Amino acid sequence: MSEAQASEMDVFHKGICEWSWKENKVFELALAMVDENHPQRWEVVAALLGGKKSAGEIQKHYVILLEDLELIESGKLDQQLGEARPCLLVEGIKSLCFSVDETNM
């Protein structure tokens, strides 16, 4: 991925969830490094992110990550990896995904 593509991806992603792509990558690495039973896990992860996020924001983001993983593993996400298509979860059972042609009406 080129630097320009990474930058575009970062801007797009940050607009969605207020976390940049780079912050998410550091977050994931920090989670792998800090034991889940560490009494100050969220504070340590926040420090590894440079103190830009609070321990509360870190913990909330972790819960969102777990929810996303559960959705993916449940098979309710009707999308292939690497395929960028807008999706809409309908009634918590099935998602509707659109191709580029369908969204450019």
Side-chain angles (χ1 to χ4, degrees), residues 47-62:
L48 290 169
L49 274 160
K52 295 179 183 176
K53 305 285 184 185
S54 70
E57 288 173 300
I58 299 292
Q59 190 170 14
K60 182 179 176 184
H61 198 61
Y62 179 71

Side-chain angles (χ1 to χ4, degrees), residues 13-20 23 53:
H13 191 266
K14 193 161 188 166
I16 292 174
C17 71
E18 298 301 317
W19 282 64
S20 72
E23 287 170 330
K53 305 285 184 185

